[in-house]
Amino acid sequence: MDAIDRKILKVLQQDARASLQQVGQAVGLSASPCWERIKKMELAGVIEGYTVRLNSQALGLNDTVLVQVTLDSHSDNTLEKFGETLAAIPEVVEAYLVSGEYDYLLRIAVKDTRDYERLLRERLYKIKGIRHSKSSFVLRTLKKADLPL
């Protein structure tokens, strides 16, 4: 990747719907070489896909909860099953296996505290192997940025 590729990525991060002409014009290329570079980055896995950023509050998902989870066991089977279970819960929007005092950090999007209580009762508390969990409600998002280029 060179400086032009990084410029292309920056343009696409800001507006994934930008036309090839718009991207090319922003980086000083015609549409054809711009398209070739984008395709090369897609094939290399640099560009994983294209998406839309949604406003969680506009969708009624007013609260974000960060949940720290510790498991009873760290066997491959336990970790695999836990990951599969999380993947099936739509409110879990991010899940990280982490180092430190707990095993996982989850980011969960819910309507409100009652909705989170429902999620705990109906889904999270039913997952076998959880030894301990700790929840923190996000009060305000101070920064949410694209990847640095």
Side-chain angles (χ1 to χ4, degrees):
M1 270 190 12
D2 61 15
I4 293 174
D5 289 338
R6 290 184 186 283
K7 286 180 183 178
I8 290 170
L9 292 174
K10 188 169 187 142
V11 171
L12 290 174
Q13 274 189 329
Q14 291 169 353
D15 182 6
R17 292 177 50 173
S19 69
L20 282 173
Q21 289 77 18
Q22 291 169 319
V23 176
Q25 186 176 24
V27 301
L29 292 176
S30 65
S32 182
C34 187
W35 180 83
E36 289 173 15
R37 285 174 175 265
I38 291 170
K39 281 295 170 200
K40 189 187 288 186
M41 287 187 284
E42 288 173 350
L43 290 171
V46 174
I47 297 174
E48 293 181 338
Y50 300 86
T51 187
V52 174
R53 276 178 259 161
L54 303 175
N55 182 308
S56 59
Q57 280 144 358
L59 295 170
L61 300 169
N62 298 312
D63 285 326
T64 298
V65 187
L66 301 176
V67 182
Q68 300 170 353
V69 177
T70 303
L71 300 180
D72 284 331
S73 166
H74 298 99
S75 71
D76 289 344
N77 187 44
T78 301
L79 296 176
E80 185 177 328
K81 285 193 186 284
F82 186 71
E84 289 170 0
T85 303
L86 291 180
I89 302 173
E91 294 89 348
V92 176
V93 293
E94 290 180 272
Y96 299 98
L97 176 62
V98 297
S99 63
E101 294 180 37
Y102 49 93
D103 300 318
Y104 286 88
L105 177 63
L106 312 178
R107 184 169 70 91
I108 296 177
V110 291
K111 295 175 188 169
D112 52 29
T113 55
R114 287 193 111 124
D115 193 32
Y116 183 59
E117 178 193 8
R118 175 205 53 82
L119 179 70
L120 286 175
R121 280 187 287 98
E122 294 177 5
R123 304 295 291 268
L124 294 179
Y125 286 163
K126 292 185 177 181
I127 299 174
K128 292 182 180 175
I130 293 180
R131 179 175 5 131
H132 176 75
S133 68
K134 178 180 171 185
S135 304
S136 300
F137 277 78
V138 172
L139 301 177
R140 183 183 324 150
T141 300
L142 301 178
K143 181 177 179 180
K144 189 172 183 180
D146 292 327
L147 289 175
L149 297 169

